[in-house]
mmCIF file of all heavy atoms in Angstrom:
data_model
loop_
_atom_site.group_PDB
_atom_site.id
_atom_site.type_symbol
_atom_site.label_atom_id
_atom_site.label_comp_id
_atom_site.label_asym_id
_atom_site.label_seq_id
_atom_site.Cartn_x
_atom_site.Cartn_y
_atom_site.Cartn_z
ATOM 1 N N LEU A 669 -164.185 -74.994 -167.211
ATOM 2 C CA LEU A 669 -163.578 -74.016 -166.300
ATOM 3 C C LEU A 669 -164.659 -73.093 -165.740
ATOM 4 O O LEU A 669 -165.843 -73.297 -165.990
ATOM 5 C CB LEU A 669 -162.526 -73.206 -167.062
ATOM 6 C CG LEU A 669 -161.420 -74.002 -167.761
ATOM 7 C CD1 LEU A 669 -160.603 -73.080 -168.658
ATOM 8 C CD2 LEU A 669 -160.536 -74.677 -166.729
ATOM 9 N N SER A 670 -164.223 -72.063 -165.064
ATOM 10 C CA SER A 670 -165.182 -71.167 -164.426
ATOM 11 C C SER A 670 -164.484 -69.833 -164.180
ATOM 12 O O SER A 670 -163.256 -69.754 -164.263
ATOM 13 C CB SER A 670 -165.593 -71.794 -163.096
ATOM 14 O OG SER A 670 -166.279 -70.878 -162.304
ATOM 15 N N TYR A 671 -165.236 -68.796 -163.874
ATOM 16 C CA TYR A 671 -164.581 -67.563 -163.414
ATOM 17 C C TYR A 671 -164.189 -67.694 -161.943
ATOM 18 O O TYR A 671 -163.368 -66.944 -161.435
ATOM 19 C CB TYR A 671 -165.511 -66.359 -163.563
ATOM 20 C CG TYR A 671 -165.868 -66.022 -164.996
ATOM 21 C CD1 TYR A 671 -167.015 -65.285 -165.293
ATOM 22 C CD2 TYR A 671 -165.047 -66.415 -166.053
ATOM 23 C CE1 TYR A 671 -167.347 -64.956 -166.597
ATOM 24 C CE2 TYR A 671 -165.375 -66.102 -167.359
ATOM 25 C CZ TYR A 671 -166.525 -65.373 -167.629
ATOM 26 O OH TYR A 671 -166.848 -65.063 -168.913
ATOM 27 N N CYS A 672 -164.843 -68.652 -161.273
ATOM 28 C CA CYS A 672 -164.554 -68.840 -159.847
ATOM 29 C C CYS A 672 -163.254 -69.626 -159.685
ATOM 30 O O CYS A 672 -162.846 -70.356 -160.578
ATOM 31 C CB CYS A 672 -165.656 -69.658 -159.177
ATOM 32 S SG CYS A 672 -167.287 -68.964 -159.390
ATOM 33 N N LYS A 673 -162.651 -69.456 -158.506
ATOM 34 C CA LYS A 673 -161.499 -70.311 -158.159
ATOM 35 C C LYS A 673 -161.959 -71.198 -157.018
ATOM 36 O O LYS A 673 -162.139 -70.727 -155.896
ATOM 37 C CB LYS A 673 -160.321 -69.451 -157.698
ATOM 38 C CG LYS A 673 -159.568 -68.833 -158.830
ATOM 39 C CD LYS A 673 -158.177 -68.366 -158.379
ATOM 40 C CE LYS A 673 -157.446 -67.742 -159.546
ATOM 41 N NZ LYS A 673 -158.146 -66.555 -160.088
ATOM 42 N N PHE A 674 -162.194 -72.454 -157.357
ATOM 43 C CA PHE A 674 -162.690 -73.366 -156.328
ATOM 44 C C PHE A 674 -161.554 -74.141 -155.691
ATOM 45 O O PHE A 674 -160.643 -74.588 -156.376
ATOM 46 C CB PHE A 674 -163.679 -74.366 -156.933
ATOM 47 C CG PHE A 674 -164.965 -73.733 -157.381
ATOM 48 C CD1 PHE A 674 -165.318 -73.717 -158.724
ATOM 49 C CD2 PHE A 674 -165.822 -73.148 -156.460
ATOM 50 C CE1 PHE A 674 -166.496 -73.129 -159.140
ATOM 51 C CE2 PHE A 674 -167.012 -72.557 -156.861
ATOM 52 C CZ PHE A 674 -167.349 -72.552 -158.210
ATOM 53 N N ASN A 675 -161.650 -74.298 -154.409
ATOM 54 C CA ASN A 675 -160.722 -75.155 -153.677
ATOM 55 C C ASN A 675 -161.529 -76.308 -153.102
ATOM 56 O O ASN A 675 -162.479 -76.076 -152.365
ATOM 57 C CB ASN A 675 -160.132 -74.355 -152.521
ATOM 58 C CG ASN A 675 -158.651 -74.420 -152.570
ATOM 59 O OD1 ASN A 675 -158.094 -74.732 -153.627
ATOM 60 N ND2 ASN A 675 -158.011 -74.144 -151.445
ATOM 61 N N ILE A 676 -161.141 -77.509 -153.453
ATOM 62 C CA ILE A 676 -161.879 -78.652 -152.910
ATOM 63 C C ILE A 676 -160.942 -79.359 -151.939
ATOM 64 O O ILE A 676 -159.842 -79.769 -152.327
ATOM 65 C CB ILE A 676 -162.309 -79.602 -154.038
ATOM 66 C CG1 ILE A 676 -163.253 -78.850 -154.986
ATOM 67 C CG2 ILE A 676 -162.991 -80.850 -153.488
ATOM 68 C CD1 ILE A 676 -163.507 -79.528 -156.281
ATOM 69 N N ASP A 677 -161.319 -79.422 -150.679
ATOM 70 C CA ASP A 677 -160.441 -80.135 -149.750
ATOM 71 C C ASP A 677 -161.247 -80.948 -148.744
ATOM 72 O O ASP A 677 -162.470 -80.996 -148.833
ATOM 73 C CB ASP A 677 -159.449 -79.183 -149.065
ATOM 74 C CG ASP A 677 -160.127 -78.010 -148.435
ATOM 75 O OD1 ASP A 677 -161.284 -78.170 -148.018
ATOM 76 O OD2 ASP A 677 -159.521 -76.924 -148.378
ATOM 77 N N ASN A 678 -160.503 -81.584 -147.851
ATOM 78 C CA ASN A 678 -161.129 -82.425 -146.845
ATOM 79 C C ASN A 678 -161.989 -83.530 -147.483
ATOM 80 O O ASN A 678 -163.068 -83.843 -146.992
ATOM 81 C CB ASN A 678 -161.980 -81.527 -145.924
ATOM 82 C CG ASN A 678 -162.173 -82.146 -144.569
ATOM 83 O OD1 ASN A 678 -161.465 -83.087 -144.222
ATOM 84 N ND2 ASN A 678 -163.151 -81.659 -143.832
ATOM 85 N N VAL A 679 -161.487 -84.070 -148.594
ATOM 86 C CA VAL A 679 -162.273 -85.105 -149.297
ATOM 87 C C VAL A 679 -162.191 -86.405 -148.503
ATOM 88 O O VAL A 679 -161.105 -86.845 -148.127
ATOM 89 C CB VAL A 679 -161.709 -85.349 -150.725
ATOM 90 C CG1 VAL A 679 -162.616 -86.303 -151.493
ATOM 91 C CG2 VAL A 679 -161.555 -84.047 -151.476
ATOM 92 N N LYS A 680 -163.358 -87.004 -148.266
ATOM 93 C CA LYS A 680 -163.375 -88.264 -147.498
ATOM 94 C C LYS A 680 -164.305 -89.255 -148.171
ATOM 95 O O LYS A 680 -165.340 -88.866 -148.728
ATOM 96 C CB LYS A 680 -163.912 -87.999 -146.094
ATOM 97 C CG LYS A 680 -162.929 -87.344 -145.181
ATOM 98 C CD LYS A 680 -163.452 -87.467 -143.738
ATOM 99 C CE LYS A 680 -162.882 -86.343 -142.907
ATOM 100 N NZ LYS A 680 -163.889 -85.556 -142.234
ATOM 101 N N ILE A 681 -163.903 -90.503 -148.090
ATOM 102 C CA ILE A 681 -164.800 -91.565 -148.548
ATOM 103 C C ILE A 681 -164.916 -92.535 -147.379
ATOM 104 O O ILE A 681 -163.955 -93.213 -147.017
ATOM 105 C CB ILE A 681 -164.240 -92.279 -149.795
ATOM 106 C CG1 ILE A 681 -164.087 -91.267 -150.948
ATOM 107 C CG2 ILE A 681 -165.147 -93.438 -150.208
ATOM 108 C CD1 ILE A 681 -163.422 -91.804 -152.193
ATOM 109 N N ASP A 682 -166.071 -92.533 -146.742
ATOM 110 C CA ASP A 682 -166.278 -93.414 -145.588
ATOM 111 C C ASP A 682 -167.262 -94.508 -145.971
ATOM 112 O O ASP A 682 -168.110 -94.307 -146.833
ATOM 113 C CB ASP A 682 -166.879 -92.622 -144.412
ATOM 114 C CG ASP A 682 -165.916 -91.555 -143.925
ATOM 115 O OD1 ASP A 682 -164.716 -91.858 -143.806
ATOM 116 O OD2 ASP A 682 -166.375 -90.417 -143.715
#
Side-chain angles (χ1 to χ4, degrees):
L669 305 170
S670 167
Y671 295 158
C672 305
K673 281 198 180 61
F674 292 115
N675 233 20
I676 298 167
D677 52 30
N678 205 15
V679 186
K680 283 194 206 125
I681 299 174
D682 296 317

